[in-house]
Amino acid sequence: MASTVRVQAPIGQRALLITTLAVPLTGWTVHALALHRKLSAARRDPLTGLLGRDGYTAKARQIIDRYGDSVLVVLVDLDHFKQINDGPGGHAAGDRVLAATATRLTAWAGSRGAVGRIGGDEFALAVRIGPARRELRLAQLTYLLAQPVEVEDGVMVDVAASIGAASPDVLGTTDLGLLQRAADAAMYAGKHTGRPVLAGSQHVTVPSINGRRAGRPGTNSLGRAA
């Protein structure tokens, strides 16, 4: 009867084999982590550090799904921003105003809110705020965004923002697109008035192109491209 002889590899060889197998696994792990960091960075606006449109949309939907009627969707548009960009400080001054606005929006929304930069000087937020506190919180936001911004040593620039907001309980929908469309219409209803506007049913029926108020700068060209 033939016998089977098993030869056990020396400990050194086994260690070498394990190390050889582990190196590719370690390399793939490092690659995966680096890729994850790049994808996370790609979801953020490089100037302000805020979420980009896709990242904001994903987080805002999560907040709406979780808190429902207690969510407030807010759109913010800086007033007269082109004048700042075209002023003595140029685009550097504009960048500082955008960065300061992003810091203020983040502070107002808190760590659990979603804050995104969705255009040049346009921002969107989704925050858990109950009906009883909406008016006060929007007034606080208006005041916060109206504070002057230092664009260089000792040089201050006056800023202001138009604010529109929408909530699921008022509009009867939790669809983020519809809420943002209504908030956009409400924002333009109060443009340059210095007061935030909470969307009602009349703002849902405002004609829109690609989810934005018709007649809004850029909507016509977007519509043709689509």
Side-chain angles (χ1 to χ4, degrees):
M1 182 175 179
S3 61
T4 302
V5 178
R6 296 184 179 178
V7 179
Q8 185 175 18
I11 295 177
Q13 292 181 10
R14 281 185 290 162
L16 178 60
L17 177 62
I18 293 172
T19 302
T20 302
L21 293 173
V23 168
L25 293 176
T26 303
W28 277 110
T29 301
V30 172
H31 174 73
L33 290 174
L35 181 60
H36 176 73
R37 284 193 291 267
K38 288 181 180 179
L39 289 173
S40 296
R43 292 161 65 90
R44 292 194 173 271
D45 171 55
L47 174 62
T48 63
L50 297 179
L51 292 169
R53 185 181 294 272
D54 291 343
Y56 160 76
T57 298
K59 188 171 182 180
R61 283 175 175 159
Q62 290 175 356
I63 293 173
I64 293 173
D65 289 343
R66 182 170 184 180
Y67 298 113
D69 287 349
S70 295
V71 173
L72 196 63
V73 173
V74 183
L75 289 189
V76 174
D77 191 33
L78 294 181
D79 295 337
H80 310 300
F81 182 71
K82 187 177 184 300
Q83 295 179 13
I84 297 174
N85 262 341
D86 294 343
H91 288 284
D95 288 349
R96 292 211 175 187
V97 170
L98 291 173
T101 300
T103 299
R104 293 168 177 180
L105 292 175
T106 300
W108 182 82
S111 60
R112 297 185 180 182
V115 186
R117 183 185 179 195
I118 60 173
D121 59 338
E122 300 173 286
F123 304 87
L125 305 90
V127 187
R128 183 188 181 188
I129 301 176
R133 301 180 62 235
R134 286 171 186 159
E135 185 175 343
L136 174 62
R137 295 281 277 126
L138 287 173
Q140 291 172 341
L141 179 60
T142 303
Y143 175 80
L144 188 63
L145 294 179
Q147 301 308 302
V149 174
E150 184 175 358
V151 295
E152 55 182 296
D153 294 341
V155 178
M156 308 296 289
V157 170
D158 290 328
V159 294
S162 296
I163 302 171
S167 57
D169 60 318
V170 173
L171 300 182
T173 180
T174 56
D175 182 273
L176 178 62
L178 293 177
L179 291 169
Q180 289 189 166
R181 183 187 307 172
D184 184 65
M187 178 178 69
Y188 272 83
K191 192 71 174 170
H192 304 307
T193 65
R195 60 181 180 84
V197 177
L198 183 62
S201 57
Q202 71 275 21
H203 297 106
V204 179
T205 58
V206 171
S208 64
I209 300 174
N210 294 330
R212 308 307 297 272
R213 180 186 58 86
R216 198 178 198 285
T219 52
N220 291 333
S221 61
L222 285 173
R224 287 196 299 269

